[in-house]
Amino acid sequence: PTVLLVLGIQEIHADQEIIGKISAAGQLMKCSASLDVLFLLDGSYSIGKGTFERSKHFAVRLCDALDIHPDRVRVGMIQFSSTPHLEFPLDLYLTKQEVKDRIKRIAFRGGSTETGRALKCILRKGFPGGRNSSVPEVLIIISDGKSQGSTMMPAMQVKERHIRVFAVGIKFPRWEELHVLASEPTEQHMLFAGDANDAANGLYSTLTGSVCSATAPGCKVESHPCERRTLETVKELAGNYVCWKGSKQLNAVQASLCPFYRWKRVLIKHPSRCFRTVCSDPCDSQPCQNGGTCVPEGLDKYHCLCPVGYGGDIHCAPKLSLECSVDLLFLVDSSAGVTLEGFLRYKAFLKRFLQAVMGQDSPMNVGVAQYDSDVRIPIEVSQHKNAFSLMKSIDALNFSGGGTLTGRALQYIAQHGFRSTPAFADVQDDLPRVVVLLTDSKSQDPVAEAAHYARDRDLFLIGVGSSFMRAELTQMTGNPKQTIVYSDPQDLFNKIPELQRRICSVDNPEGCQAQSLDLAFVVDASSEVGLENFLRLRDFVRSSCLHFNINRDVTQIALVIYGSKAHTVFTLDTHTSNSAVLQAINQVPFLGDLASAGSALLHIYGDVMTVQKGARPGVNKVVVVLTNGGSMEDAAAPAQQLRDNGILVFVVVIGDAQRDTLLRVAGSPNYLIYISSYEDLQYYQDLIVERICEEAKSPVNLCKPNPCMNQGVCILGPGSYRCECHGWEGPHCESRVLRGDSPRSPVFPSHSHVQWSPRGLQRFSRAPQHTKR
């Protein structure tokens, strides 16, 4: 048969984990030894310019596995085609970067593939620029193996001179010809340039133990089955067929047999073994728990990708728990509207939720009801006391597929969903009763009256459904804060943390009702926002303030609006009650000019979050910026200045905006909240308030921001601070020293200091306080 086309590849027959480790180790290997390495680079027309560039890239990658140094590894290169050409000798470039830069500049020469002639040149002249024979010599031939002449004799003579030869296949190599070139054992001296990291690993693995230093700790050379394959397209005789030929006789033809050929692809396999260095990684010990996926980061670091509900630590410990005591009933839609697939998804959601939040000592009681045209309670509240038996019961639930009568289901649950057991029928259960409705189909009967009936009986309703169900769910729950919607089926599982928060908020006051906080809202009132959207932002600030207990000891609120300049509507110490703040917000005007968020944040730093304007030392400080994301380029530096002084910056963006710029302003994705439209702003209020409240509980640095006025220096003490003043006196350097009197140092009389308490600042003194004015 006549060979027309050859395709060569190499595959390692190992599992994906081992292959990943081989690739990772290949990026970490470095051979440190006295070694002369000469590259013999095929630059013939059969290679072509594109493959020649890939050969150069591969040679550069092999250099990364060599510790190139005048006293250790030296590298030279010869390009061969019709004749060999010295590109650079071994003693010319003595650093890794110089060698790599020179290889990248080598030009393709072209010509026939005279591999044998190149080997004979090395036999005559040796390694150009090499050291004496005491230094081991390594020859790396990068070629497709399609030599114009015989290579057997010169290859044998080169190896007899104790030159170690690596044969690297490039493009579509002929493995049998490369086999002739490689040193023994050939399995350890044949590489494939298709995967540079793997080939660099193979080179290092072969040199380790004989030339290079020992492998790194935790690494070892292992052999794996591999298969080198050549795909040849051949012309094959298919048989002889009758054909007509001409004849010497006039007007006559002669029948004859003619050969018939066809084209056929033949896969030639070369089973072998590949020797590779494999390093253990930190994921081998399987540190991630609860179904987490371990992702290695080098040889000694990793991180865990945790399922929803896990991530309490780096090893995916449960992070959610229903520490609140409730009677909890899930009401699951089992009608034809949700389909069998949807019902199975709800079962999976229930199991995932309970796995995440239900521990051995969980104080909650859980039941499950399902409905279509009828209502059933297959799992009564308090029926199961452990998660395992509850999961088995959920697995046994069956899809029914009738009509969707959600109103009837709510009426039934209000009457029968939380019945006491007969033994304790006379004991009143004081636990809050929560019903979580899971549905994805519109009700076929009225729901408003039934939901009102259920709420009147002190049932706390939470609705979970897809986004098109939002209006109906809110009608049932009576509160958009108790409505949870998901965008697609997978997003349902991302709502587990939010559902946990909603369930436990039933018996807790919302907001930061007992937490000291200095809070400033910064509202974009520019023409880009527009009057209508500005009024929505104003309403959002107004309703957000309802979540806080506003007075001197708990929460103080300031409001700043901005266009091209910032305007303080009221400072932190202006209003001391919720009603006064709400009344003041109603009077906020729309500015309607260009926006400069940077000037607004500078204004917050210098004129709002200051002791002079009511900011309290020892109290957490948060700034919430409400914007459409425009004109934020000048805001990154002022925002960082606020953070450096212990003031947290939240950025709430409505609409499309440049993420990179906004991320610099917020400082972290945790403090950047995107909202698609102004209409959706109300649905994010709970999330924003919860984030603010979480920060209000974090530790406080009493000297950030500086409570000392007039350039006084704040000095921390245990649970207290003092101000060191120059030319001023008083607890905060607020009083100028008059008539040439020298200031006291420290400012406070002996045995006096300022101490922080959750309700603010208290000053204690056992000596009388004298202040000169």
Side-chain angles (χ1 to χ4, degrees), residues 52-234:
F52 181 75
E53 291 299 319
R54 287 194 291 275
S55 298
K56 286 164 52 179
H57 168 75
F58 174 73
V60 167
R61 180 64 191 88
L62 287 188
C63 288
D64 287 331
L66 304 172
D67 187 10
I68 299 174
H69 186 273
D71 300 327
R72 295 188 285 277
V73 181
R74 295 187 183 184
V75 173
M77 180 168 285
I78 293 174
Q79 181 183 172
F80 73 94
S81 51
S82 302
T83 57
H85 173 78
L86 177 63
E87 297 291 351
F88 58 91
L90 286 104
D91 56 356
L92 183 57
Y93 302 112
L94 301 177
T95 70
K96 183 178 295 188
Q97 195 57 48
E98 287 177 342
V99 171
K100 290 166 67 172
D101 291 342
R102 179 66 184 88
I103 292 174
K104 292 174 183 176
R105 295 199 305 271
I106 293 174
F108 175 65
R109 306 183 74 83
S112 58
T113 313
E114 299 288 350
T115 312
R117 182 177 293 181
L119 293 174
K120 290 174 184 176
C121 178
I122 291 171
L123 287 170
R124 288 196 313 272
K125 299 181 180 180
F127 274 31
R131 289 168 279 190
N132 57 41
S133 58
S134 63
V135 176
E137 294 176 325
V138 173
L139 181 65
I140 302 176
I141 305 173
I142 304 178
S143 172
D144 61 0
K146 300 174 184 177
S147 179
Q148 251 65 48
S150 174
T151 58
M152 184 173 294
M153 186 58 69
M156 185 177 66
Q157 291 172 341
V158 166
K159 288 180 276 191
E160 285 175 351
R161 291 197 183 181
H162 304 293
I163 297 173
R164 182 170 292 201
V165 183
F166 285 88
V168 181
I170 192 74
K171 201 176 181 182
F172 306 127
R174 291 183 185 272
W175 293 108
E176 62 275 9
E177 294 187 31
L178 292 173
H179 195 276
V180 173
L181 298 174
S183 293
E184 296 287 341
T186 52
E187 290 84 359
Q188 298 183 36
H189 291 84
M190 288 179 65
L191 307 172
F192 182 53
D195 187 333
N197 286 333
D198 172 57
N201 187 321
L203 175 75
Y204 175 87
S205 302
T206 301
L207 295 177
T208 297
S210 58
V211 179
C212 304
S213 56
T215 55
C219 301
K220 61 182 178 180
V221 177
E222 294 182 354
S223 69
H224 301 281
C226 62
E227 190 175 78
R228 299 185 176 105
R229 296 186 290 176
T230 304
L231 185 63
E232 297 185 353
T233 301
V234 300

Side-chain angles (χ1 to χ4, degrees), residues 623 625 627-629 632 643 648-655 657-675 684 687-688 691:
V623 174
V625 182
T627 176
N628 70 342
M632 297 292 287
R643 283 191 292 275
L648 188 70
V649 179
F650 269 101
V651 180
V652 180
V653 185
I654 301 96
Q658 191 66 34
R659 182 175 179 83
D660 292 342
T661 302
L662 295 167
L663 198 54
R664 288 196 297 273
V665 178
S668 165
N670 296 331
Y671 307 127
L672 179 59
I673 298 174
Y674 277 98
I675 301 174
Y684 286 80
L687 173 65
I688 294 167
R691 293 265 184 92

Side-chain angles (χ1 to χ4, degrees), residues 248-310:
K248 294 178 181 179
Q249 298 177 10
L250 187 62
N251 297 326
V253 293
Q254 182 178 337
S256 179
L257 290 176
C258 299
F260 179 76
Y261 296 93
R262 64 183 175 191
W263 309 108
K264 183 180 180 182
R265 289 197 168 194
V266 180
L267 188 66
I268 302 174
K269 299 180 180 180
H270 309 274
S272 185
R273 295 196 73 80
C274 291
F275 289 80
R276 299 295 185 264
T277 297
V278 177
C279 301
S280 61
D281 63 49
C283 290
D284 287 343
S285 61
Q286 298 181 335
C288 304
Q289 305 164 5
N290 299 307
T293 302
C294 183
V295 180
E297 297 173 353
L299 292 178
D300 56 354
K301 294 182 180 178
Y302 67 91
H303 69 272
C304 293
L305 298 176
C306 303
V308 175
Y310 298 93

Side-chain angles (χ1 to χ4, degrees), residues 326-330 418 432-436 459-460 462 503 506:
V326 294
D327 284 344
L328 176 62
L329 180 67
F330 287 96
F418 297 89
R433 294 174 172 182
V434 180
V435 176
V436 177
L459 296 189
F460 187 80
I462 299 173
I503 292 171
V506 57

Side-chain angles (χ1 to χ4, degrees), residues 307-322:
V308 175
Y310 298 93
D313 62 13
I314 61 170
H315 298 123
C316 300
K319 69 178 178 182
L320 301 175
S321 63
L322 282 181

